[in-house]
């Protein structure tokens, strides 16, 4: 049972952990090399800048990955806590260093909450930053059961979802899901450099989203990439190979070489489709394949102008978001009545179907994913993205 | 004055244009090669599937870039409209084709609204999709004043912000701000392919944002890139050069080669800082340099725990969003009182300062951007992104 907590490094993540723990009545002690950061966190109600009188139950090291082993060694030497964890986004290198030189490696378990914000520093902290987010723990061969359990308890206090991985498997994965994407976004963003102001007028939401991560602190990210350099280099090498193939195809299309044109177009589409397919394997906001716990509600339209707008309004009032609506179906051929399909959680589907039927819509409940009516692709001329 | 409009291609963009025009009482005629798309748009209240009895005032060609010249030629031959524009995201190639073979190139002006959504098709359409968005017009040397004015009127109906560019300058810019970023996001997304399901647990919001654009229709994007292949190839070539330099630095860091370590770290940080600097030139949601029409409100804290949380709550109630708060200042040294600085529109700043003073806070109004108190960087250990 965690009654006292120490947070070393009161930036965004450390202060958010402190706020979450403080909300649960835990006494939180705040440490940072920057007195402004500590005092800001204290003024936010995240805890006290007073050092603990006796070892706390758990200390969270919210420092860059290259500093984890050093800070752990220092704090174990002064007896800050009984157990320690960290929140760095690289785990294998720090674990190696901890095993090599920390006084009590058994009292340490690596951790990485999959949460962050564009803004950094204690002012950006939020007690609910980790709510329902994955929080990876990477116990070493020496991590004690008690230390592991304390970290699990902290994750529970923060509302996170614990996952256990080996440190190397974690690093190999985040190189793909976080570190290489950050670097690539940085390269794309840098292409704006030295352009005329009119360029900003042609920057849409797509570019802003694609480069948001690249706004992160360059020194911190240098530290992250350096600590995970081998895994990141592997991903970048694969990306360079893909980019070379892509560039070959685009150059051939630019050359308007009739002979290679069809093949270049195929190659380009293939590269794009690989990306789309990979994203569809994620639990996505976009409509994906019918999940086991969802059901379908099919509404057949009579064909009155504006009828569909009214249906979508009504459905939205009963928990059907736009993302729950698939492209219209034409089960009786292109000129037969259109069917609008909602896909949502089974319980919600039952409610929605009831409401719509009560309002006189022609409703059918889809049960069997296989028992599918013809479901064409989105309309061929499906809009030109900005 | 536009009284009648035709939309050719009732996907996301075409249907959104139709919805916006219909809201203003314009009679909109909807055309698409896919009868489902037309009927869906009609059922949304975007207009009628009935062909116009006489030429409409303006026709919007919402088709892929490679189709613009062909569709314009067909529709001018059958006399669909008095004026024509398109919404494709590539302009120079289609313009060349139009000048080469359209019956009346004077009656055409290229257009590109900088708006789009992750979802495509008429169901994703929104009448306000273009509100306050840049809408580029690229008149050719033959475009008539009357045609240009009709397009301007359409943009006004849609709430867009018109900008005029040469077609080639447009294409060179969107290759940087849209086409190359889309392709790079696709490559990054494709790296997820064939990974174990646990990988999805380590996909955070950063990855989702960075790859959102890559969910776009692969065939449509192949068409876009092919039509702008020369400009896109140029940007990809520059990106490949940057990636090679980046990879060299990361590999040297992986090799733990003490001799090159410092230089590799410098190179890596330099590449990341170029991206950060480029993004800071954009009108950004993140706090940027003080704009001419904004003012500062400085609040000096007494130092009570939780005091800052109360201040931020109060300020939020008076229009100060978290983005209007800079990192805390320590004008009297690290151990002096902390100063919280709000930066917001001058009028709002006056109101906020008044409210805070009335509630007893120690408030000062900053006037002169240069008359600045020491404003340190964000705290050193500024959180580890997920």
């Amino acid at each position: 049972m965690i009654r006292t907590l120490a947070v070393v490094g009161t930036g965004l993540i450390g202060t958010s952990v402190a706020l979450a723990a403080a909300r649960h009545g835990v006494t939180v002690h705040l440490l940072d090399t920057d007195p402004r950061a500590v005092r800001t966190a204290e003024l936010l109600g995240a805890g006290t800048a007073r050092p603990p009188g006796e070892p706390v139950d758990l200390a969270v090291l919210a420092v860059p990955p290259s500093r984890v082993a050093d800070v752990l060694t220092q704090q174990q030497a002064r007896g800050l806590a009984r157990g320690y964890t960290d929140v760095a986004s690289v785990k294998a290198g720090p674990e190696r260093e901890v095993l090599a030189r920390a006084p009590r490696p058994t009292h340490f378990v690596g951790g990485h909450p999959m949460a962050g914000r564009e803004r950094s520093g204690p002012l950006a902290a939020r007690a609910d930053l980790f709510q329902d987010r994955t929080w990876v723990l990477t116990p070493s061969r020496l991590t004690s059961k008690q230390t592991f359990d304390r970290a699990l308890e902290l994750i529970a206090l923060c509302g996170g979802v614990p996952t256990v991985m080996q440190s190397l498997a974690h690093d190999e994965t985040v190189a793909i899901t976080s570190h290489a994407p950050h670097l690539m976004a940085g390269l794309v963003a840098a292409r704006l450099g030295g352009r005329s102001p009119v360029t900003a007028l042609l920057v849409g939401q797509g570019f802003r989203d694609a480069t948001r991560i690249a706004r992160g602190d360059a020194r911190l990210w240098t530290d992250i990439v350096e600590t995970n350099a081998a895994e990141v280099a592997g991903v970048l090498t694969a990306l360079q190979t893909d980019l070379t193939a892509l560039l070959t195809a685009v150059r051939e299309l630019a050359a308007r070489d009739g002979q290679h044109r069809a093949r270049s177009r195929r190659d380009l589409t293939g590269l794009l489709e690989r990306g789309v397919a990979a994203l569809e394997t994620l639990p996505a906001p976009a409509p994906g394949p019918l999940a086991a716990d969802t059901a379908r509600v099919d509404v057949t339209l009579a064909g009155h102008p504006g009828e569909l707008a009214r249906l979508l309004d009504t459905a939205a009032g009963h928990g059907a978001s736009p993302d729950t609506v698939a492209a219209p179906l034409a089960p009786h051929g292109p000129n037969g009545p259109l069917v609008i399909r909602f896909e949502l959680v089974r319980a919600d589907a039952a409610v929605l179907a009831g409401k719509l039927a009560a309002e006189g819509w022609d409703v059918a409940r889809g049960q069997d994913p296989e028992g599918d009516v013809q479901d064409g692709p989105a309309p061929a001329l499906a809009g030109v993205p900005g």
Side-chain angles (χ1 to χ4, degrees), chain A residues 59 74 129 138 182 212 256 290 293 326 342 344 364:
Chain A
Q74 292 164 11
L129 187 65
T138 58
H182 186 105
R212 179 167 295 115
R256 315 203 156 281
L290 187 62
D293 65 336
F342 299 89
L344 59 177

Side-chain angles (χ1 to χ4, degrees), chain A residues 158-287:
Chain A
C158 295
V161 181
T163 306
V164 178
M165 297 179 72
Q166 289 193 314
S167 56
L168 199 56
H170 167 276
D171 290 359
E172 183 206 350
T173 305
V174 290
I176 294 171
T177 61
S178 173
H179 303 169
H182 186 105
L183 294 169
M184 298 300 277
L187 296 187
V188 168
R191 288 284 111 220
L192 283 185
R195 301 280 309 172
S196 73
V198 74
T199 301
L201 293 176
L202 272 61
V203 167
Q205 194 55 45
F207 184 91
R208 288 182 183 276
D209 290 346
T211 56
R212 179 167 295 115
I213 50 176
R215 291 179 181 270
D217 181 288
R219 289 160 309 132
L220 173 63
W221 276 93
T222 299
D223 189 285
I224 291 170
V225 171
E226 176 171 8
T227 317
N228 198 28
E231 299 301 334
V232 173
V235 180
L236 292 182
T237 301
L239 285 166
Q240 195 183 39
T241 304
D242 294 344
L243 177 54
T244 302
L246 172 63
L247 190 47
T248 303
V250 176
R251 280 180 178 151
E252 281 178 359
L253 290 172
R256 315 203 156 281
D257 175 342
Q259 187 191 347
H260 299 121
R261 195 176 201 70
R263 192 199 58 213
S264 305
R265 199 182 282 127
R266 259 201 320 279
D267 293 348
L268 176 54
T269 305
L271 282 161
L272 289 166
E273 282 172 343
R274 275 172 52 207
V276 173
L279 292 173
E280 280 170 354
T281 64
L282 295 177

Side-chain angles (χ1 to χ4, degrees), chain A residues 6-315:
Chain A
V7 170
V8 183
T10 54
L12 166 68
I13 303 293
T15 304
S16 294
V17 170
L19 285 169
R23 292 244 173 126
H24 287 82
V26 175
T27 301
V28 182
H29 298 271
L30 307 165
L31 296 78
D32 198 303
T33 54
D34 179 343
R36 280 192 308 158
V38 172
R39 294 172 58 222
T40 302
E42 187 175 35
L43 292 168
L44 281 170
T48 172
R50 222 176 343 95
E54 60 179 17
V56 295
D57 297 321
L58 183 68
V60 179
L61 311 181
V63 302
S66 69
R67 300 277 306 131
V68 168
D70 288 347
V71 173
L72 177 66
T73 301
Q74 292 164 11
Q75 298 300 343
Q76 285 194 328
R78 66 176 270 206
L80 175 65
R82 299 190 187 82
Y84 298 81
T85 188
D86 76 319
V87 294
S89 59
V90 184
K91 306 258 65 80
E95 179 182 289
R96 268 195 304 274
E97 297 175 21
V98 166
L99 292 175
R101 62 172 195 265
R104 281 175 297 287
T106 52
H107 294 186
F108 172 80
V109 59
H112 178 208
M114 302 301 298
R117 297 184 67 188
E118 188 182 336
R119 300 173 52 225
S120 63
L123 268 183
R126 287 170 14 194
D128 65 353
L129 187 65
F130 311 104
Q131 192 61 48
D132 304 323
R133 298 300 191 87
T134 298
W135 191 316
V136 180
L137 288 179
T138 58
S140 75
R141 64 175 194 277
L142 295 186
T143 299
S144 73
K145 174 79 166 59
Q146 191 182 33
T147 302
F148 183 77
D149 291 345
R150 284 214 176 95
L152 278 181
E153 199 188 326
L154 175 70
I155 296 173
L157 287 175
C158 295
V161 181
T163 306
V164 178
M165 297 179 72
Q166 289 193 314
S167 56
L168 199 56
H170 167 276
D171 290 359
E172 183 206 350
T173 305
V174 290
I176 294 171
T177 61
S178 173
H179 303 169
H182 186 105
L183 294 169
M184 298 300 277
L187 296 187
V188 168
R191 288 284 111 220
L192 283 185
R195 301 280 309 172
S196 73
V198 74
T199 301
L201 293 176
L202 272 61
V203 167
Q205 194 55 45
F207 184 91
R208 288 182 183 276
D209 290 346
T211 56
R212 179 167 295 115
I213 50 176
R215 291 179 181 270
D217 181 288
R219 289 160 309 132
L220 173 63
W221 276 93
T222 299
D223 189 285
I224 291 170
V225 171
E226 176 171 8
T227 317
N228 198 28
E231 299 301 334
V232 173
V235 180
L236 292 182
T237 301
L239 285 166
Q240 195 183 39
T241 304
D242 294 344
L243 177 54
T244 302
L246 172 63
L247 190 47
T248 303
V250 176
R251 280 180 178 151
E252 281 178 359
L253 290 172
R256 315 203 156 281
D257 175 342
Q259 187 191 347
H260 299 121
R261 195 176 201 70
R263 192 199 58 213
S264 305
R265 199 182 282 127
R266 259 201 320 279
D267 293 348
L268 176 54
T269 305
L271 282 161
L272 289 166
E273 282 172 343
R274 275 172 52 207
V276 173
L279 292 173
E280 280 170 354
T281 64
L282 295 177
L290 187 62
D293 65 336
T294 67
R296 293 167 165 172
V297 177
D298 291 347
V299 181
T300 304
L301 299 178
H304 312 307
E307 176 184 15
L308 180 50
R310 288 195 303 279
L311 172 63
L312 295 180
D313 287 348
T314 305

